[in-house]
Amino acid sequence: MKQTLERSFTKRCRWIWSFTNRQSDTVRYWLPQPIETSTQGNITCHGVSSLLQSRSSFPHDLLWADVDPGDTITINYEIDLYRLSWKGKSPSKEKETVNILSPLSEKERDFYLRSTVMSPVNEDMRQKAKKLTAGAKTEWEKIQKIYTHIVSHMNYQYPPKQRGASFMSETRRGDCGEFSLLFTSYCRSLGIPARTLFGAWANEAGPHAWNEVYYEPFGWLPVDTSIANNVKKLHNRLFLPFQMGVNGSPNRHIGESEGNRIAFSVDANLELTPSFEEVKPPEDYPDFPFGVENFYYGFQTHDGTAPYLQPGYIQFNQEPEKMKLPDILGNSNIQENGIIGKLRLLKQSSFILFLLVLFTEIAARFIPLMTFPPYVLSAAGSFFLCLYVFASLLRREGNRILLSILILVVTFFFIDQLVLLTGET
């Protein structure tokens, strides 16, 4: 059977990011300009703060600024998002020229095979990767074995106690970042180009990390081992599809994507330009293991590279007085354009109203003063639940089994109320 990889448009989103320096001293900030990936394209910049300057770099051009106390920098982009799904079987050993992207240049191949602090390529990683892919005859089988191993043997933990593939391979605990960094490390150790993407969910701006692996003839394919690991649990399999729009099957996150994520940066350990000028951190400044022990975020780098950009990296010159997340990562706001955004509002509001009606109906059974005309609450609850299911279906979000159950519940309520009303008349 001929294999094809279908790419379909899901929505256009606007990403607005801002950072306000609430410190008493000037800080320097770096941001990557988003680039096209397998699941995003048609990127349009609608505005960048005058303070931000551009520097050519690879694979991203960088924006940077020295931000004085009280100043704010902002960026504003619109990005098309795409769903990827296999039609037919998953890739076989036969190479078919279907939906192939531009072949990797020598520079690109070297870059996405390099060893980094966050995803090292060393003898230890190479031996582990060879062991877990033993018996694989093709490159795709190796990718699948790496994917299956990480999904099956790693444990999701947020927040992680350490960051980086080396720590993840030892402790087997981490969040989406560690899952992705480890996948990159194993693939590169076997000579397979891979990269870690850092971004956010498009429907709620929550941070997320995942992978792309380069496999000819299909080009860059999305891989999400942390979501695949999470949906192994029943409650996540039921509810994550509603929350994130992801597929509820652990096997559907290699080469496929739901088209509901924006990538801010492609790969960890990107070189900062202009260069980061390291200063000695204050004595009581907290350290955290970022690929190495005793890393002082904001005061040092990995040999001139940021551990990762999600979306940016900050340089402090003295001990910061403010250390909340917006003081380090800024604020991201992602808006869904067009009918998809309106359906999201309908989905959220109808679910809230359904819960309100449900709680009111429960309270009415115990509070005599709360009286309503017969069947009004049941009818209202059924109506709002119908709207929720309708909006979820149009947005292609939700677990099919749970949606089917909801539809049956709504149908039962309507029939039940109809029978009762008919009997009374």
Side-chain angles (χ1 to χ4, degrees):
M1 180 184 292
K2 188 175 182 180
Q3 314 303 317
T4 60
L5 185 62
E6 293 186 337
R7 187 180 196 231
S8 57
F9 174 81
T10 58
K11 55 191 170 185
R12 187 163 178 80
C13 293
R14 183 180 292 268
W15 171 41
I16 302 172
W17 175 89
S18 63
F19 168 80
T20 299
N21 182 10
R22 298 200 305 149
Q23 314 300 337
S24 60
D25 190 39
T26 299
V27 301
R28 178 167 288 184
Y29 213 97
W30 290 265
L31 284 165
Q33 298 190 53
I35 62 174
E36 293 192 0
T37 68
S38 62
T39 57
Q40 72 182 33
N42 193 19
I43 301 171
T44 306
C45 179
H46 288 288
V48 171
S49 292
S50 58
L51 289 174
L52 286 164
Q53 303 177 58
S54 180
R55 281 290 180 95
S56 295
S57 188
F58 181 84
H60 294 267
D61 287 342
L62 294 181
L63 298 169
W64 71 279
D66 288 326
V67 189
D68 293 330
D71 283 351
T72 298
I73 52 176
T74 60
I75 58 175
N76 187 333
Y77 286 92
E78 277 194 323
I79 303 173
D80 284 350
L81 303 183
Y82 302 93
R83 180 189 307 274
L84 284 182
S85 57
W86 294 114
K87 184 178 181 181
K89 300 178 181 177
S90 58
S92 62
K93 60 184 179 181
E94 294 84 11
K95 294 187 176 182
E96 301 161 332
T97 54
V98 180
N99 291 341
I100 188 168
L101 303 181
S102 300
L104 288 181
S105 66
E106 185 177 348
K107 178 180 180 180
E108 290 173 317
R109 181 171 292 276
D110 289 344
F111 187 81
Y112 295 119
L113 287 175
R114 78 198 194 286
S115 177
T116 66
V117 175
M118 300 301 285
S119 289
V121 179
N122 52 37
E123 190 58 30
D124 178 55
M125 284 295 184
R126 191 172 292 110
Q127 291 303 318
K128 288 179 179 178
K130 286 182 178 179
K131 182 178 180 180
L132 66 91
T133 58
K137 298 179 181 179
T138 66
E139 189 172 273
W140 180 251
E141 289 178 358
K142 293 178 182 179
I143 295 170
Q144 287 180 311
K145 281 181 174 287
I146 292 172
Y147 173 86
T148 301
H149 172 81
I150 293 176
V151 170
S152 301
H153 294 92
M154 302 298 145
N155 300 290
Y156 189 89
Q157 179 183 21
Y158 181 83
K161 295 182 179 180
Q162 302 142 318
R163 290 205 174 275
S166 295
F167 294 123
M168 181 66 163
S169 69
E170 295 296 331
T171 66
R172 299 195 171 194
R173 292 187 175 275
D175 67 0
C176 58
E178 279 53 64
F179 272 79
S180 305
L181 291 164
L182 183 60
F183 181 86
T184 294
S185 187
Y186 281 157
C187 284
R188 291 181 180 178
S189 296
L190 299 178
I192 302 170
R195 57 193 188 184
T196 306
L197 279 63
F198 297 92
W201 296 104
N203 62 342
E204 60 172 30
H208 189 50
W210 64 100
N211 290 102
E212 285 186 339
V213 60
Y214 194 85
Y215 177 71
E216 295 182 359
F218 298 95
W220 287 111
L221 297 177
V223 177
D224 199 327
T225 52
S226 66
I227 289 295
N229 174 271
N230 270 280
V231 296
K232 291 193 306 177
K233 301 175 183 177
L234 180 60
H235 66 283
N236 285 332
R237 182 174 297 189
L238 293 177
F239 295 108
L240 279 183
F242 284 98
Q243 183 182 2
M244 308 296 189
V246 299
N247 194 291
S249 170
N251 301 320
R252 298 292 298 277
H253 299 280
I254 177 169
E256 299 187 85
S257 177
E258 75 297 321
N260 185 41
R261 56 186 76 191
I262 290 178
F264 304 148
S265 62
V266 174
D267 213 27
N269 289 118
L270 299 181
E271 183 179 2
L272 298 176
T273 177
S275 60
F276 187 105
E277 299 174 3
E278 295 192 6
V279 296
K280 185 178 180 181
E283 290 186 4
D284 57 348
Y285 188 76
D287 65 306
F288 190 86
F290 269 89
V292 295
E293 298 284 358
N294 307 120
F295 183 83
Y296 296 91
Y297 192 96
F299 283 94
Q300 66 181 108
T301 62
H302 293 152
D303 297 322
T305 69
Y308 52 79
L309 301 174
Q310 197 178 29
Y313 194 66
I314 193 170
Q315 176 184 348
F316 298 118
N317 295 306
Q318 62 182 35
E319 184 172 5
E321 297 90 352
K322 309 291 184 180
M323 283 292 287
K324 293 184 177 180
L325 277 179
D327 298 310
I328 301 173
L329 303 179
N331 289 290
S332 280
N333 179 26
I334 300 177
Q335 304 166 359
E336 297 173 317
N337 295 356
I339 186 65
I340 293 296
K342 293 180 174 62
L343 286 172
R344 178 190 178 193
L345 180 61
L346 176 64
K347 178 181 174 180
Q348 292 174 332
S349 58
S350 60
F351 187 70
I352 292 172
L353 290 170
F354 167 73
L355 292 178
L356 181 62
V357 170
L358 181 63
F359 292 145
T360 303
E361 186 166 10
I362 294 173
R365 297 177 185 271
F366 300 96
I367 303 176
L369 296 178
M370 295 181 65
T371 58
F372 297 91
Y375 320 120
V376 167
L377 290 178
S378 296
S382 299
F383 174 73
F384 292 130
L385 190 57
C386 276
L387 285 180
Y388 177 78
V389 171
F390 174 73
S392 297
L393 287 171
L394 290 180
R395 284 175 58 86
R396 301 183 70 175
E397 294 176 345
N399 180 281
R400 293 180 180 179
I401 297 176
L402 194 55
L403 279 175
S404 300
I405 293 173
L406 289 176
I407 292 172
L408 289 175
V409 169
V410 171
T411 303
F412 171 79
F413 269 113
F414 272 123
I415 295 174
D416 182 59
Q417 299 307 312
L418 182 62
V419 170
L420 290 174
L421 287 172
T422 304
E424 288 189 357
T425 56

